[in-house]
Amino acid sequence: MKKTPHTPPQTLDDVERLMGELALCDAARRRALAEMDAELKAVRDRHAATLDAQDARREALEAEIASWAELHREAFGEKRSLVLTHGTIGWRLGNPAIRLRPRVKAEQALAMVKANLPAYVRTVEELDKAGLLAAFAGKALDAEALAACGLRVTQTERFFCEPKTEEQ
């Protein structure tokens, strides 16, 4: 099937008519979303008690299994996990992390790393774009000063179409 070429509206009345259709379409969409949300909430509410009870029971069972595993680490042998009939239990290693030793403050650690391991101290330099924009808006900087630094201020324009949200 061949498409007919689209012609844009010719008058402000045409745009008013199209905006009216858009507002009706938007209202119908919001109404459908509200109905869908109400139905989803009803389904969630219907199953919430069962899910909460199952979650609580699962946590209690996992705690009991974990306490057995802590007391019987020899059952795992050299392995970190144990395959059972209905699943696998075991320990997972977390990701390595650097933490402060007891009674050492972050500032002290940073000073000691700067002195002993300077290659592991980061220094971040970046443009203060918010500050530059504020200075430009306040006339403390002009386009020439920014251009001398290889910068420019740009601003885009984007069309919008917002229907009134009262009921039609």
Side-chain angles (χ1 to χ4, degrees):
M1 188 178 348
K2 202 173 194 182
K3 287 187 176 180
T4 58
H6 174 74
T7 57
Q10 300 298 312
T11 66
L12 186 57
D13 288 339
D14 292 342
V15 174
E16 282 285 352
R17 181 184 49 76
L18 291 173
M19 195 64 195
E21 287 181 35
L22 187 133
L24 288 172
C25 177
D26 184 64
R29 182 180 187 281
R30 284 185 288 106
R31 206 171 16 258
L33 281 171
E35 290 173 14
M36 182 179 72
D37 289 344
E39 289 177 27
L40 289 171
K41 184 182 181 318
V43 170
R44 282 190 193 96
D45 291 346
R46 196 169 56 240
H47 294 284
T50 303
L51 290 171
D52 290 344
Q54 293 303 321
D55 288 345
R57 179 67 179 142
R58 180 184 173 130
E59 286 177 19
L61 291 169
E62 285 178 356
E64 287 183 49
I65 294 168
S67 66
W68 176 88
E70 285 291 338
L71 294 172
H72 298 91
R73 281 198 178 247
E74 73 280 355
F76 291 82
E78 303 261 333
K79 299 178 184 174
R80 301 195 58 74
S81 62
L82 186 61
V83 178
L84 306 173
T85 305
H86 297 287
T88 304
I89 61 173
W91 289 271
R92 288 193 175 106
L93 282 176
N95 292 332
I98 299 291
R99 302 251 191 264
L100 293 173
R101 295 180 68 187
R103 295 181 298 282
V104 175
K105 299 208 181 312
E107 298 83 23
Q108 295 170 319
L110 179 58
M112 289 186 280
V113 170
K114 279 182 180 178
N116 299 316
L117 304 167
Y120 297 100
V121 177
R122 283 191 279 202
T123 303
V124 179
E125 290 184 11
E126 57 186 25
L127 288 176
D128 179 8
K129 291 181 180 180
L132 288 167
L133 284 172
F136 183 79
K139 308 288 187 219
L141 288 176
D142 61 2
E144 289 180 18
L146 290 174
C149 298
L151 301 171
R152 64 188 170 116
V153 175
T154 63
Q155 195 168 7
T156 60
E157 183 177 56
R158 193 171 63 97
F159 180 77
F160 71 93
C161 193
E162 294 175 358
K164 292 181 181 174
T165 56
E166 64 262 6
E167 287 300 317
Q168 301 296 320

